[in-house]
Amino acid sequence: MSLERTQVINFNSGPCALPTSVLEEAAKGLINYKGTGIGLAELSHRSGYFGAIVNDLAALIRTQLDVPPTHEVLFTQGGATGQFSAVVLNLLARHRLLYPELTDEERVMDYVVTGNWSKKASEEATRLGGGVVNIVTDARTVSEDHKTFASIPPHGSFQFSKKPAFVYYCENETIDGVQFSTDPKSSASFPWEAIKEEDFVPVVGDYSSSFLSRPIPDIARHALIYAGAQKNLGPAGLTVLIVRKDCLVDTDAAAKLGAQPVPITMDWKVIHANNSLYNTPPMFAMYVSQLVLEHAQSLGGMPAITLMNERKKDILYEVLDEGAAKGLFRLRVHKDSRSWMNQTFHVLGEGKEELFLEQADKAGFKALAGHRSVGGVRVSLYNAISEEQTAVLVNFIREFIKQNAA
């Protein structure tokens, strides 16, 4: 059956839904960009036209997230997974330049494991070597079954190294639906108090699935914030880096001291020196991302986007809690650690989860099945999902509860 765009609501976890008006404008540019007679994807990436897109996109991100002048905004490829490797190589090179006398066994990389993506990042660090991986905390150890990721662990469980090469965390776990709180008083916030500012330890935050959904707390204290674009920003293929300038190091000099050589397309200093144009970038993804951010600006920028996302997640969690209270749903994540972007739950009762997903699909709610590794249901409320669309889903869920709760 052929469906029109207006007949469905796309809750895909990534690639995400994008505003229809943005896609319509992007389609025009794909055919004829700014009256050049050439489509955007056919332009030279060395042209002034595309150079303007790179600069405008960086400026929009800097404005919306209030990026400090101590940091550069860069663009690369390879997705967030590519940065699993790039983080290790660039920051161990930095550490080698600062402390050339240390052995690999004395170079420690601290990983905060709160879900499947931070777990994968820590495994890549172990695979690459060049240092020792210290698991600062593992959220599975504080879950009821000691197997699932269900909350941000209490601050007392975080065991940071004395002077690690870097500290790594994932702000929002897309698969599991676990997210750090922006409230510094919350037990689910990131424990900045445990990292001495004067030590200047590089802190890395994977913000892929929450990027541009709300402000980034303590942005200036991060050495790197990175995000794959395909959650809130644009099509897959583009990765955004917000890098503190002291982390743009000479990796070739570090290699002469024994560090692993860094592939040139992963070298942050090279990317910066070439204005993110060392090689042909994902041009169309960058163009669409620029249009998405201009659209966000027209809605009121980050304050308006944050308020919208807060209202969306509040009405959805309200109805999910109603279903849980009636024994029909089981939410995967503790209340103080729940994601704004990815709401995960199970439908209880023989055949009820399959029925929920089947009825949801027939009603036009697409991509609600949970990740294959954890199952269940996952709703992804990225920026392009409107409050009205969220309300339609909430009404469907409320009716399902009425029909199926014991």
Side-chain angles (χ1 to χ4, degrees):
M1 182 174 113
S2 178
L3 295 170
E4 296 296 326
R5 187 174 179 86
T6 53
Q7 293 177 281
V8 304
I9 304 175
N10 178 12
F11 292 102
N12 213 318
S13 63
C16 65
L18 294 168
T20 299
S21 62
V22 164
L23 294 177
E24 289 170 343
E25 183 64 25
K28 295 176 187 176
L30 192 57
I31 301 298
N32 184 351
Y33 182 71
K34 290 189 178 295
T36 60
I38 301 174
L40 184 282
E42 304 166 303
L43 284 171
S44 167
H45 68 291
R46 304 292 184 194
S47 69
Y49 287 105
F50 192 72
I53 289 176
V54 175
N55 294 334
D56 289 349
L57 180 55
L60 285 162
I61 291 171
R62 190 174 287 280
T63 297
Q64 293 205 18
L65 290 177
D66 197 20
V67 177
T70 50
H71 290 60
E72 300 288 353
V73 179
L74 309 178
F75 306 106
T76 186
Q77 302 179 67
T81 304
Q83 291 306 304
F84 291 175
S85 310
V87 164
V88 173
L89 297 174
N90 281 273
L91 291 181
L92 283 184
R94 175 186 181 274
H95 199 254
R96 178 80 59 165
L97 290 170
L98 290 172
Y99 307 103
E101 73 284 356
L102 297 181
T103 65
D104 285 355
E105 290 71 27
E106 293 172 306
R107 299 184 197 282
V108 183
M109 301 173 279
D110 275 3
Y111 277 79
V112 178
V113 177
T114 53
N116 277 280
W117 288 118
S118 50
K119 174 176 171 287
K120 287 177 183 293
S122 70
E123 290 168 350
E124 176 65 356
T126 299
R127 190 183 74 85
L128 288 175
V132 177
V133 172
N134 169 50
I135 302 301
V136 174
T137 187
D138 187 326
R140 290 171 295 186
T141 63
V142 296
S143 66
E144 291 180 7
D145 61 5
H146 298 290
K147 295 178 182 179
T148 55
F149 296 105
S151 68
I152 300 297
H155 287 185
S157 75
F158 285 67
Q159 299 297 314
F160 292 104
S161 305
K162 284 185 178 180
K163 284 192 176 180
F166 62 87
V167 173
Y168 185 106
Y169 77 103
C170 180
E171 194 268 350
N172 182 67
E173 295 280 1
T174 324
I175 293 174
D176 308 283
V178 175
Q179 184 171 28
F180 282 90
S181 172
T182 56
D183 179 3
K185 296 178 182 177
S186 170
S187 61
S189 64
F190 187 81
W192 286 105
E193 70 281 358
I195 301 173
K196 294 179 181 178
E197 243 181 301
E198 59 269 24
D199 287 345
F200 219 52
V201 172
V203 177
V204 175
D206 175 356
Y207 267 74
S208 291
S209 51
S210 60
F211 195 62
L212 294 161
S213 65
R214 61 184 189 180
I216 296 176
D218 295 287
I219 187 170
R221 290 196 64 185
H222 290 80
L224 171 73
I225 289 163
Y226 72 84
Q230 70 274 15
K231 306 297 185 179
N232 266 321
L233 184 56
L238 171 66
T239 310
V240 180
L241 311 179
I242 301 174
V243 191
R244 200 172 66 205
K245 292 177 182 178
D246 69 287
C247 294
L248 303 172
V249 301
D250 186 340
T251 61
D252 288 339
K256 291 176 182 177
L257 295 173
Q260 296 183 65
V262 180
I264 203 158
T265 56
M266 286 186 169
D267 189 313
W268 299 337
K269 186 176 182 180
V270 170
I271 295 169
H272 171 251
N274 289 274
N275 195 32
S276 301
L277 294 171
Y278 178 80
N279 63 329
T280 308
M283 294 172 63
F284 187 64
M286 294 176 76
Y287 173 52
V288 175
S289 297
Q290 178 192 17
L291 295 177
V292 167
L293 287 176
E294 289 173 349
H295 174 72
Q297 286 284 68
S298 73
L299 297 177
M302 191 51 55
I305 297 295
T306 303
L307 186 59
M308 175 190 71
N309 284 327
E310 186 166 24
R311 289 194 295 247
K312 282 157 47 180
K313 63 95 176 170
D314 282 348
I315 64 169
L316 180 55
Y317 279 126
E318 181 182 12
V319 74
L320 294 180
D321 282 334
E322 288 175 17
K326 294 183 178 180
L328 185 61
F329 298 154
R330 178 175 65 80
L331 278 72
R332 289 179 55 84
V333 179
H334 297 179
K335 189 167 286 189
D336 60 354
S337 302
R338 290 177 181 173
S339 170
W340 285 33
M341 295 286 98
N342 311 105
Q343 294 78 19
T344 57
F345 62 100
H346 292 278
V347 185
L348 306 179
E350 185 69 32
K352 292 290 178 68
E353 195 159 273
E354 293 81 358
L355 179 65
F356 178 92
L357 291 170
E358 179 185 332
Q359 291 184 355
D361 186 72
K362 287 180 179 177
F365 306 116
K366 301 300 179 180
L368 287 178
H371 190 272
R372 62 187 179 278
S373 65
V374 297
V377 181
R378 173 173 55 180
V379 182
S380 292
L381 294 182
Y382 295 127
N383 289 355
I385 300 296
S386 68
E387 290 183 69
E388 291 75 19
Q389 289 174 319
T390 307
V392 173
L393 175 64
V394 166
N395 289 337
F396 165 81
I397 295 174
R398 188 162 279 125
E399 185 59 30
F400 185 85
I401 294 170
K402 189 185 298 183
Q403 297 293 329
N404 291 278

